[in-house]
Every structure is written in structure tokens, then in C-alpha cells.
Amino acid sequence: MEEKLVERLESAVKRLEALSAGTRPGIHPESGGDAAAALDPSIVAFDDLMAQYFSRVSAAAEKIGGQVSDVTTVLAEAFSAQKELLVKVKQSQKPDMAGLAEFLKPLNDVIMKANAMTEGRRSDFFNHLKAAADSLTALAWIAFTGKECGMSMPIAHVEESWQMAEFYNNKILVQYKSKDPNHVEWAKALKELYVPGLRDYVKSHYPLGPVWSATGKTTVSAPSKGPPPSAPAPPPPPPASLFSSESPQSSSSRPKVGMAAVFQEINSGKPVTTGLRKVTDNMKTKNRSDRTGIVGANEKESHASSRSFSKAGPPKLELQVGRKWVVENQIGRKNLVIDDCDAKQSVYVFGCKDSVLQIQGKVNNITVDKCTKMGIVFTDVVAACEIVNCNGVEVQCQGSAPTISVDNTAGCQLYLSKNSLETSITTAKSSEINVLVPGAGPDDDWGEHALPQQFVHVYKNGQFATTPVSHSGG
């Protein structure tokens, strides 16, 4: 605690010395406007924001390493791009929409770079990548130009953007709660970077959006790519299609196509049936010997064998590095079983269709990704069961599961046992989710409960109250 206090005092002394000398560390006096903008209180406060909050995220990422460190580096690039834009705002006039898009391009490029890291096959650190990438949309508050621009106010935009990222950030907290404190520290530091960090910064300095200079330089959109002004004009287009040897025709003499040709034929006065071929008896389907309607045995076998393979790759059911069961590209397999597993192993199911997988034993985590008409039956899970990007899946828990999350899924049936009735179910961007629970007695029917997917938001007492939509049959 004392070391942090000393560091902050030293930082404050350096800033005061720089202010008294009329310059700032890292900025030369001849830089003129850049130096003046960098000494602005809002820019100084942004540096304080990075020193106070982002340093925690960076320190935790260095301890974790790997993809978490990589995405944190991209995070630093995005905040650095934001600072550069804030300095430019002090020196530039408010641009038009085309100029604003060009102005924001450096920040947008970094955000796209972060989103690219979440694409492809999901890694073990997917939640870290997704939380960081989704959180960067909060930096777009700088694009706010007024109520008519279609964006929320800057403070609200930061809070709403973090809510999108918090879904994956909470997954990190649950997954590593009792396993690795570095991951927990990274997730907590990431949240504090935005709320309260960035939110309070915007609230203090830019509650109504960026303040542009009235006398600064103008920002123009990038010129369209084309020949330089000194280059000769391009030749005129050819009179006819490059793939046609016919001479050009006027639109009136050119033959009509599509429905225009149909109406032209009708209006010509000729019999409509002129030119139609006559169907003889041997051309009729019922009299053709090659259309028996019977499927040969070799055709049936080839069709059945093709169901076992996916266009994405060969099917897999294997244990990798002794820690992760991988089930991929299984199609039409109803008897998949994992029976040799323990509580330290995870199960990842990807790209399966019309299959059933039984997990006989306790595992740490289960992830079902991009599966269609897939059935999963498991006994116990230590951390969570996740269903992502699926369509028409059924999941049955025969033992206990602390958390079940459903994300971007259409059609999901969850069967809970009596030991898993206290399971926490989290849903996001999903529809048609039904949860079936056992009845009170052994002979009672299962009770089916549909989870709401529509909500009503009402502003009351200074905040929004959210309630599920209820449909009455009256």
C-alpha cells in the first residue's frame, strides 16, 4: 500500500515539474499544438486512468501469458489509439459523417483486430478473448456527435458496452474461482477498467461527447482510389459485350428476356402453344423403365456411410494431452460414450449433428459448440455446461451442475435431475429454451417450463425495471 502511494506521489511530482517547465515528458517543445493538447487536463486524466486501472490488467496478463497476454496487448493498442484521437479532437473541427469515419479508422482497425482473435476454433481462453473484444466497443463513445446520431449518450454507451462483455467476464470468474487467482484478478481488473474507470472519466470530461475545436484543422474523408489526376482518361466502354461478337442493338430492337419476353409472345397474336413439344407415351414417368422407385442396396449403404463424415473434417472422439476430451464432426452417431473421465478433464463437442453423447462420470467443464440436433447426457460437472451457437439440442443432467449457460442458440431442451434443481441457468441471444424438471413423486410427469425470451423495460424511479413478457389467453 505504501509503495503504491509513493509511486503516485512521484508521478504527481513529475507532472508538476513538467507543467512548470512548460513541457511534458516524451513531448518536445517544437511539437507545438500536440504538446498543448497533451497538457490538457482531460489528456492528463486519461494517463491517470491507464496508470491506475490498465496497469492491473497488464500485470495479471503477464502472469498468465499466452493468448491472454496477446489480447491485453491489443487492448493497450486500442486505448492508445483512443488517446491519440482525444489529442486530435482538441486540434480539429467537427467533421462530417465521411470525415468522422476516416477519423475513427485507427481505433476501428484495432477493434477489428481484437474481434479477429475470437474467430475460428475456440481456444481454452475464448472467454478472455471475447470479453476483451466485446469490451472495446465502449471506446466508440468518442463517435457521439449528438442525439440525432443514433447512439446512446457517452456514459450510457460505456455501461451498455460493458454489459455485453460482462457475460464472458463472469464465465472467467466462475471457471477460475478456486483454480487460478491470476485469471480472477485479470477479469476483475478488466471490469474496473471500464466500470468505474472509463465511465467516470467520460462522466467527468466528456458527458456530452467530444468537444471539437472551433478553429482547428478540418478532417476530410480519404480520397477514393483511382487514377492520379495527371493520368490520361480511361478509354470509353466497348460498344458491345466483350463476350459477344454481335453488333450492338438499341433497347427497342434488342430481344426481351424474362417476363417481358413472355408478354411479347402473348401479344404477338400467334398461338401460345406453338413450338411446344408433344409428350409421347414412352416419355411419361409411369411408363419409363429406368424410374422404378426402388433404391438399390449399394445406394443405401453409400448414403449411410456418408452420414458418418462431416464436410468440415474427419470425426473425432479422443482425449488430448490427458486433460481434454474432443468430440468433433460426428454425424448420425447415437451411441457415443465417454466413460473413462475424471473431475480434472473437460469435454469439448464441436460440429456434431443428429448424434447422442453420454458422459459417464464427473468432469470439470462441458462445452457444446455449433451442433445441430445433438443430445448430451452427463452425470456431474464441476464448473459449468455451456451451449453455444447450437440449434435444436437436448441436454440432460443426471447429477449436479452449478451453472448451465446457453448463448446464441435456437431451440434447447434442458432436463434437470432432483439434485440439479438449484442450477443457475444463464441465457443470452437465445430462443425456444425449455427446462424440464421431475415431478414431486416417482410416478408424476415431468414439469416443463419455458424460459422467457421477450422482456419489457419500463423507466421508474430513475432506473429501468425489466420484467418478462407474459401472454394471456383471454
Side-chain angles (χ1 to χ4, degrees), residues 264-472:
Q264 184 184 39
E265 185 72 20
I266 293 174
N267 295 330
S268 64
K270 298 179 182 179
V272 178
T273 58
T274 302
L276 295 180
R277 294 177 59 190
K278 181 175 179 59
V279 180
T280 59
D281 288 341
N282 62 342
M283 297 171 62
K284 296 179 180 179
T285 304
K286 64 180 181 179
N287 298 327
R288 293 183 61 175
S289 59
D290 59 340
R291 299 288 181 90
T292 61
I294 301 175
V295 180
N298 55 347
E299 289 186 48
K300 186 181 295 185
E301 291 175 1
S302 62
H303 179 68
S305 61
S306 65
R307 294 173 60 199
S308 302
F309 295 90
S310 170
K311 295 181 180 179
K316 289 183 181 180
L317 199 164
E318 61 186 17
L319 179 63
Q320 297 181 350
V321 202
R323 298 295 298 272
K324 183 177 182 180
W325 283 95
V326 175
V327 184
E328 292 184 355
N329 306 320
Q330 301 285 350
I331 299 180
R333 302 288 300 276
K334 306 289 187 181
N335 55 350
L336 302 172
V337 179
I338 297 177
D339 53 5
D340 185 15
C341 54
D342 59 52
K344 294 182 180 180
Q345 297 173 347
S346 62
V347 179
Y348 180 65
V349 186
F350 176 81
C352 297
K353 181 178 180 181
D354 195 24
S355 301
V356 178
L357 171 65
Q358 297 184 46
I359 305 171
Q360 300 174 354
K362 179 183 289 189
V363 293
N364 182 270
N365 185 72
I366 300 173
T367 301
V368 186
D369 186 11
K370 292 184 181 179
C371 294
T372 303
K373 295 182 180 179
M374 183 70 183
I376 304 290
V377 181
F378 67 91
T379 307
D380 297 292
V381 66
V382 177
C385 175
E386 303 172 88
I387 302 134
V388 187
N389 304 323
C390 293
N391 190 0
V393 296
E394 297 185 14
V395 178
Q396 181 176 0
C397 175
Q398 296 178 332
S400 61
T403 303
I404 297 178
S405 64
V406 185
D407 184 16
N408 196 27
T409 295
C412 179
Q413 296 269 10
L414 300 177
Y415 297 85
L416 302 181
S417 65
K418 290 186 177 181
N419 295 331
S420 60
L421 293 180
E422 296 182 358
T423 298
S424 173
I425 302 176
T426 304
T427 64
K429 295 186 292 185
S430 300
S431 60
E432 302 174 26
I433 302 177
N434 295 324
V435 182
L436 290 90
V437 298
D443 298 330
D444 293 342
D445 295 333
W446 287 64
E448 184 173 1
H449 304 271
L451 300 187
Q453 63 189 59
Q454 292 180 312
F455 301 89
V456 176
H457 311 278
V458 181
Y459 189 73
K460 291 182 179 179
N461 301 326
Q463 61 183 356
F464 277 96
T466 302
T467 55
V469 174
S470 59
H471 300 279
S472 61

Side-chain angles (χ1 to χ4, degrees), residues 54 57-58 60-77 113-133 136 172 175-176 183 186 190 324 348:
F54 188 82
V57 183
S58 179
E62 290 179 0
K63 296 178 181 178
I64 299 171
Q67 290 183 313
V68 179
S69 180
D70 294 340
V71 78
T72 304
T73 301
V74 177
L75 204 67
E77 294 177 10
K113 181 179 178 181
N115 289 330
M117 297 180 69
T118 66
E119 298 174 355
R121 181 175 174 180
R122 292 183 61 173
S123 69
D124 294 336
F125 302 111
F126 175 79
N127 292 330
H128 300 73
L129 302 178
K130 193 67 174 172
L136 287 180
I172 301 172
Q175 182 179 358
Y176 293 96
H183 291 267
W186 186 88
L190 183 67
K324 183 177 182 180
Y348 180 65

Side-chain angles (χ1 to χ4, degrees), residues 141 152-163 199 202 207:
W141 68 265
S152 301
M153 296 292 287
I155 301 173
H157 176 80
V158 173
E159 293 176 339
E160 292 167 2
S161 299
W162 172 250
Q163 288 175 4
R199 180 197 62 192
V202 174

Side-chain angles (χ1 to χ4, degrees), residues 56 59-61 63-64 128 172-173 175-189:
R56 286 184 55 200
K63 296 178 181 178
I64 299 171
H128 300 73
I172 301 172
L173 295 174
Q175 182 179 358
Y176 293 96
K177 182 178 180 180
S178 56
K179 293 169 60 177
D180 192 336
N182 293 325
H183 291 267
V184 176
E185 169 65 15
W186 186 88
K188 290 182 177 180

